[in-house]
Amino acid sequence: MAEASTSGATSLVRVWDLPTRLFHWVLALCVLGSVISAKIGGNAMVWHMRLGYAVLTLLLFRLLWGLVGGRWSRFASFIYSPAAWLRYLRGRPQRGDWFEVGHSPLGALSVLAMLGWLVVQVGSGLIADDEIAITGPLVRFVSMDTSLAWTGHHKSWGQWLIYALVALHLLAIVFYRVVKKRRLVGPMISGDKALPPEVPASRDSAATRWLALLLLAASAAAVAWLVSLGTL
């Protein structure tokens, strides 16, 4: 059974709530700033560290928001079962699959890979030591060999895989726009997509936005505590 309405009628449906949209764009800016500051080096490394803490805060927030956020931002909406994957690959969705509303199965893999790898990259930065001027706040909790090994990861294939994942993300946006005639960037700005009216919308009320702000504050506090362990 097809996903689309049999009448072909569509209406604007809120897919991406405001906290998810802000997370997406702020994370992109923080990652970009982190890369640029690392390339500049020197005094800019102070900002590299700060931006790394910001990325960690955002990732922790996204983990929490994936449990209680808007419908299409929840992990439950884009972690697919093997049966759903099979229907997706065969092009035979059932009613309620809605593969192209939020994250499609392939898109979900990209998102999860990006979030997971950013966690690894930021985590390696927390115990990194460039043997010049910058050390991660948790470096004293690991051996020198472990620190140097993860520093090597952080500077080499860790960052290169992030570049690859970002490139795949951008290519997917172009593919959807050119081949499938679907806009991915616009809905991540406005939050809305033209969809069959029976598609359930994400909650995006004042109450959910306040909840997101509280979760962000809690995430920032948790990261601040983690970083402070290096000075105790």
Side-chain angles (χ1 to χ4, degrees), residues 6-7 9 31 44 56 70 84 92 115-116 127 161 180 187 198 200 211 222 231:
T6 54
S7 66
V31 170
L56 183 56
R92 298 177 181 176
L115 296 179
I127 59 172
L161 187 52
K180 291 196 170 187
E198 64 267 24
L211 174 61
T231 61

Side-chain angles (χ1 to χ4, degrees), residues 106-120:
L106 287 176
L109 284 182
S110 174
V111 169
L112 293 173
M114 177 67 76
L115 296 179
W117 198 250
L118 282 174
V119 168
V120 173

